Amino acid sequence: MIALDNWLIALASIALSPFLLVVLLIMVLASTGCSLGIREKYVQVLLAIFEWGRIRIEKSETESGRNSVDGDLEREDGGEGDFPLTPNSSSANLLARQMEAHSHYDSAVDGSGRKSIRSGFTLSDAYDYCKWGMEAITEDQVTKSFEAEEINSWNLLTRTNMNYHYISVRLTIVWCLGFLFRYFILMPFRLLITVIGVLWLTTCMAFTGYLPNGPLKRRVNQYVNLMCFRIVSRGFSAIIRFHDPQNKAKEGGICVANHTTPIDVIILSVDNCYNLIGQRHHGFLGFLQRALSRAANHIWFERSETKDRMAVSQRLKDHVTVPHNLPVLVFPEGTCINNTTVMMFKKGCFEVDCPIYPVAIKYDPRFGDAFWNSSEQSMVQYLLMMMTSWAIVCDVWYLPPMRRKEGEDAAMFAARVKNEIANKGGLVELDWDGQLKRQNVKVEWKQIQQKIFSERIKFE
Amino acid sequence: MVKRSFYATLLLAKAMGNDFSADLPTGFDADQIRRLYHRFLKLDADGNGYISTDEFMAIPQVRANPLAARIMEVFDRDGNGLIDFREFTQGMTLFSSKAITDHKLRVVFNVYDQDRDGFISNADCFRVLKMMVGENLTDVQLQQVVDKSIIYHDSDADGKLSFLEFKNTIGALGAQGDKLGVKL
């Protein structure tokens, strides 16, 4: 019996040791910030497979005579007077489109020789409103921003599937292999790395917390931060490209970024250290928050306090004026958006008098959808989805610091920063409030429409 | 999510079984109907198979549209305050880019013709114009605009506008009408 036990133990250690060695290797690499380039190769292999898959799909579709699937109810590039609805349209603002529409209509009327002599109103004015209404019913930008982004070709994940895997046997086989690979090889690895990473994070932070306040503690905190977050980021195969590192946020500033997922924090913390600000959560997130708070002064709020904007602003102001405090990471949209658009920036953090370091984050949707749809997925479901995606590939652009100009109020400054981030990240700007996810639009929007229309038809 | 799409397919099969695609003025293929149905499901937040006024107004861009209530009523052919999938598709079809201009103009006409008597009366026009203008013009000014518009286009001088007279107001728009519209 004892011999059998020995055999089993020996067998287990032989089988597991390469596994554990790999994990150890990943941790060591992560801590030092080096990379063997394996993940980049992996990405290239994946891209080649997706390309092959796409060609197969197109081939089978032309064979069966169907038109290639556009993927949604969006309109294609109209050209003859259609207003493009795709997320890449530059004038996504409702009011801007109305201006366009009016000028288009006016030119149509004048072109035919009919002049509107008596008044600016003709019965066909209702046509424009009907059209916008119909467009919004077909597809509206706000709802679209809170759904997962649709991609042009299939990336071999069931979640983005639209009956593609019934197309050919080979594609189904590749999909099956991919499924097995993701769920039974990638996921256990990632889970293990994440668990180890989180435990290591907690331990290190606790240790750092015991050091006396001073330059040593700050240096240790910085190193520990980077190391631990790098390990955790390997937990979902994050491949991040940082651009313009000379614009990284410095002490005493506020770093502002577009928000897609809670993982944004980890992505940004891989390269730079921040103090975080946010609501106090329960459960797993709460545990993490407490762990982080031991080593550095993050700003956590009770739910009731967030309603009091002045209190939030005040704490932020107090924080940035203390010397040697790390830059604060703020997500002014206030909620997760699906990474195709940038919604209204809340002006709270822009009232503080300090340099703002804007950062644009753009995820590559082909490898995994990073967007957390909090109304449809719980945190655990979301993490599971992340760990069974191919990878999280993203680009991070550090933009040059901005300050509020003379005579510019906080709202205008916020809009200016939003514009910079949207341009850099290739995202569409919307003026809608991210809280529309949970609330209804205010009455003022309709009244603005009415006012503009009235201006047009007033003729006295 | 998987459960819902299976259920949705069942309902869709049922809907298709009624072969209502036959009485749609412009043909939709199965793919487009499927997409329309997904959109319908998205809008039908409580999942009871109908879009109520609240669910309709939940779309921010619709809520900001002054004529939203009228558009809803035009969709709702049987006037029960709810839009079912058949009404939804019929409404969308009339405004699709494949529909002829007459269909689109018919939709706009119906938006004006609130009492559904086939004519745009003075009162009909006033009500709709009031929605578009809000509080920015007085009723007197508004009445003047309405009177002038009706008189100018009322060729048979019966005090109201028929569909033909309404079509004549469009003029230049009609030439472009075939190209304008919402593509599915």
Side-chain angles (χ1 to χ4, degrees), chain A residues 208-423:
Chain A
T208 321
Y210 285 126
L211 292 174
N213 282 336
L216 176 67
K217 182 174 183 179
R218 283 197 293 274
R219 261 228 301 270
V220 170
N221 177 46
Q222 200 162 357
Y223 180 65
V224 156
N225 240 306
L226 289 174
M227 176 176 65
C228 293
F229 279 115
R230 277 179 191 153
I231 296 177
V232 174
S233 79
R234 302 282 172 118
F236 35 84
S237 304
I239 300 162
I240 315 167
R241 279 186 291 260
F242 290 100
H243 306 266
D244 302 325
Q246 71 274 11
N247 293 326
K248 260 193 253 196
K250 301 187 177 47
E251 289 175 354
I254 295 181
C255 182
V256 156
N258 57 316
H259 200 30
T260 308
T261 153
I263 294 179
D264 284 339
V265 172
I266 302 177
I267 303 270
L268 290 179
S269 297
V270 161
D271 199 42
N272 196 4
C273 299
Y274 300 99
N275 278 341
L276 305 171
I277 179 171
Q279 276 182 359
R280 236 184 265 275
H281 283 99
H282 304 290
F284 181 57
L285 271 182
F287 166 75
L288 276 178
Q289 285 176 337
R290 284 192 297 276
L292 291 171
S293 285
R294 290 197 186 97
N297 31 344
H298 302 283
I299 310 175
W300 304 120
F301 285 102
E302 301 298 333
R303 295 229 130 169
S304 47
E305 269 180 69
T306 51
K307 292 209 181 83
D308 185 0
R309 280 198 327 108
M310 296 305 291
V312 175
S313 249
Q314 191 56 44
R315 276 183 81 169
L316 203 51
K317 281 195 186 94
D318 293 338
H319 187 96
V320 298
T321 44
V322 173
H324 297 305
N325 257 349
L326 295 169
V328 185
L329 181 57
V330 179
F331 296 108
E333 282 162 316
T335 186
C336 293
I337 317 282
N338 78 344
N339 207 235
T340 56
T341 60
V342 180
M343 291 210 165
M344 193 173 91
F345 273 13
K346 299 210 189 319
K347 58 183 180 169
C349 69
F350 296 96
E351 287 164 351
V352 181
D353 181 30
C354 66
I356 301 275
Y357 298 90
V359 173
I361 310 176
K362 181 85 179 99
Y363 291 89
D364 191 334
R366 290 173 297 180
F367 299 99
D369 184 23
F371 169 55
W372 180 35
N373 194 342
S374 52
S375 49
E376 287 188 6
Q377 299 164 333
S378 69
M379 186 53 142
V380 178
Q381 273 176 315
Y382 171 68
L383 287 175
L384 195 70
M385 284 234 320
M386 284 299 101
M387 289 192 193
T388 54
S389 309
W390 295 112
I392 305 288
V393 180
C394 60
D395 283 287
V396 175
W397 287 276
Y398 291 112
L399 294 160
M402 300 168 76
R403 282 201 97 108
R404 189 143 56 108
K405 291 194 186 132
E406 284 295 320
E408 202 180 29
D409 71 356
M412 282 162 55
F413 182 40
R416 192 159 62 92
V417 174
K418 181 169 85 118
N419 187 266
E420 289 290 318
I421 292 182
N423 285 340

Side-chain angles (χ1 to χ4, degrees), chain A residues 157-200:
Chain A
L157 295 174
T158 324
R159 58 198 78 146
T160 48
N161 178 38
M162 295 210 265
N163 293 328
Y164 281 143
H165 56 237
Y166 297 134
I167 292 214
S168 87
V169 181
R170 264 192 266 181
L171 207 57
T172 316
I173 291 177
V174 173
W175 173 79
C176 272
L177 287 176
F179 180 83
L180 292 170
F181 179 65
R182 282 182 295 118
Y183 275 82
F184 297 110
I185 299 181
L186 283 185
M187 199 183 90
F189 258 113
R190 287 177 180 165
L191 203 55
L192 190 65
I193 293 174
T194 312
V195 167
I196 293 178
V198 170
L199 287 173
W200 187 237

Side-chain angles (χ1 to χ4, degrees), chain A residues 70 72-76 85-87 139 144, chain B residues 183-184:
Chain A
D70 294 340
D72 48 30
L73 294 172
E74 259 173 35
R75 290 183 294 162
E76 312 229 11
L85 267 184
T86 60
E139 176 193 276
K144 213 163 151 55
Chain B
K183 221 188 264 187
L184 285 172

Side-chain angles (χ1 to χ4, degrees), chain A residues 90-135:
Chain A
S90 49
S91 53
N93 190 308
L94 184 68
L95 294 176
R97 268 170 55 203
Q98 177 169 21
M99 288 304 150
E100 262 182 36
H102 275 130
S103 58
H104 176 264
Y105 173 59
D106 286 337
S107 62
V109 168
D110 291 337
S112 74
R114 277 182 66 161
K115 285 192 215 126
S116 43
I117 2 164
R118 298 156 333 284
S119 70
F121 169 69
T122 54
L123 287 161
S124 51
D125 282 342
Y127 177 82
D128 288 327
Y129 286 116
C130 288
K131 186 149 183 282
W132 295 323
M134 290 295 187
E135 285 171 5

Side-chain angles (χ1 to χ4, degrees), chain A residues 72 75 81-82 108 114 121 123-124 127 129 133 136-138 140-141 147 441 446 449-451 454, chain B residues 35 39 42 59 61 63-65 92 112 129 131-133 136-137 149 161 168 170 172 179-181 183:
Chain A
D72 48 30
R75 290 183 294 162
D82 286 341
R114 277 182 66 161
F121 169 69
L123 287 161
S124 51
Y127 177 82
Y129 286 116
I137 296 167
T138 317
D140 72 294
Q141 290 148 341
E147 299 166 352
V441 77
K446 183 159 100 170
Q449 295 293 321
Q450 288 171 331
K451 192 151 196 304
S454 315
Chain B
R35 284 187 237 164
R39 179 65 180 169
K42 193 108 215 155
I59 310 171
Q61 280 164 263
R63 199 183 177 91
N65 189 323
M92 296 309 298
Y112 278 108
L129 198 54
M131 286 186 204
M132 291 199 269
V133 148
N136 295 293
L137 288 179
S149 302
L161 296 179
N168 291 335
I170 310 296
K179 293 178 189 149
L180 292 167
K183 221 188 264 187

